[in-house]
Amino acid sequence: METNTIGPPSNHMEFDKAYSSLSHWMWTDTRIPSELKRLIETNKPQTSLELGCGLGRFSKFMANQKIQATGVDYSTVAIEKANKRVANERNKPTYLVGDVTNLEILSEPFDVSFDIGCFHCLNKEAQQNYVKEVYRLLKPGATHLIWALDESPSNMKLTPEYISDIFSNNFQLQKSQRSRRRVVFVASHWYWLIRK
């Protein structure tokens, strides 16, 4: 199966294959988003959780801010590469292989969590499980930041109304903002969700 050139792959094997080659650069962004910097400035977290961390660039940034950072991805190849990239760092994030819809490997309540390009890869049932896990792993009143495509790789429409609705039992959508952050400029949004 061919990898989507705009969005990320759609299954575990495709992600491992993409991270083993250079094809992930079609949908990987190396810039640290200003939204992530604002998450730190606004919340002053001591701990952070990144869902779908890939090569771990954003969790590495968090660790460099002296935040106890944890990144989770279900690609073993990505996590191996992420760990190699920080092997000589003083402030290292913790990288774990895990499924964002079932993170039984984690129990710590985190001060903030974020996801830059993972949520839109999930089907609706997986998204519902993801919401439950983020709720379980965040402290009350904590912020979960998401960047997601407006149309998922599987052609699911993701709108502020959809995000608000799927998170509504456990989170309040505080803010949504249009974005065109990737090299391939596709419609997307940032979402700030507050855990109830």
Side-chain angles (χ1 to χ4, degrees):
M1 179 181 260
E2 284 187 22
T3 298
N4 184 326
T5 58
I6 295 175
S10 60
N11 65 50
H12 186 274
M13 289 174 48
E14 285 183 18
F15 272 102
D16 277 349
K17 184 178 176 183
Y19 282 118
S20 294
S21 68
L22 293 177
S23 63
H24 64 89
W25 292 112
M26 293 299 288
W27 42 268
T28 298
D29 194 336
T30 60
R31 298 166 294 172
I32 304 300
S34 60
E35 291 79 6
L36 188 57
K37 293 174 185 175
R38 278 203 306 274
L39 181 69
I40 296 170
E41 292 165 9
T42 303
N43 294 276
K44 312 264 188 290
Q46 294 181 4
T47 59
S48 71
L49 172 63
E50 180 180 9
L51 301 166
C53 69
L55 299 176
R57 184 170 288 106
F58 304 129
S59 283
K60 178 182 173 186
F61 169 77
M62 298 297 269
N64 287 338
Q65 311 309 305
K66 299 193 167 116
I67 296 165
Q68 186 181 335
T70 301
V72 177
D73 200 283
Y74 79 164
S75 169
T76 55
V77 174
I79 294 300
E80 286 170 8
K81 287 187 172 188
N83 278 314
K84 284 179 185 173
R85 291 166 64 112
V86 298
N88 298 317
E89 297 282 328
R90 175 182 281 183
N91 299 309
K92 294 180 190 175
T94 299
Y95 294 119
L96 302 169
V97 176
D99 179 347
V100 297
T101 69
N102 182 5
L103 288 170
E104 59 190 22
I105 55 173
L106 295 171
S107 59
E108 174 183 347
F110 292 88
D111 294 330
V112 295
S113 58
F114 62 98
D115 161 359
I116 303 176
C118 174
F119 185 80
H120 59 226
C121 296
L122 306 174
N123 64 31
K124 187 165 185 174
E125 181 182 355
Q127 289 172 351
Q128 290 167 335
N129 291 330
Y130 166 113
V131 171
K132 290 176 188 172
E133 286 296 85
V134 175
Y135 176 77
R136 181 178 68 81
L137 291 168
L138 271 184
K139 293 178 180 177
T143 300
H144 180 55
L145 174 67
I146 296 178
W147 175 81
L149 297 171
D150 288 355
E151 185 172 324
S152 76
S154 63
N155 299 318
M156 179 186 289
K157 303 289 185 202
L158 301 179
T159 63
E161 294 75 22
Y162 178 83
I163 297 295
S164 179
D165 183 59
I166 200 159
F167 279 89
S168 64
N169 289 337
N170 302 313
F171 291 83
Q172 179 179 347
L173 178 60
Q174 182 184 50
K175 178 181 174 184
S176 65
Q177 178 181 310
R178 290 185 188 275
S179 171
R180 292 189 175 270
R181 70 173 254 99
R182 297 292 172 115
V183 175
V184 179
F185 293 106
V186 291
S188 59
H189 274 78
W190 286 99
Y191 300 100
W192 286 262
L193 295 138
I194 308 299
R195 183 195 185 278
K196 293 180 182 175

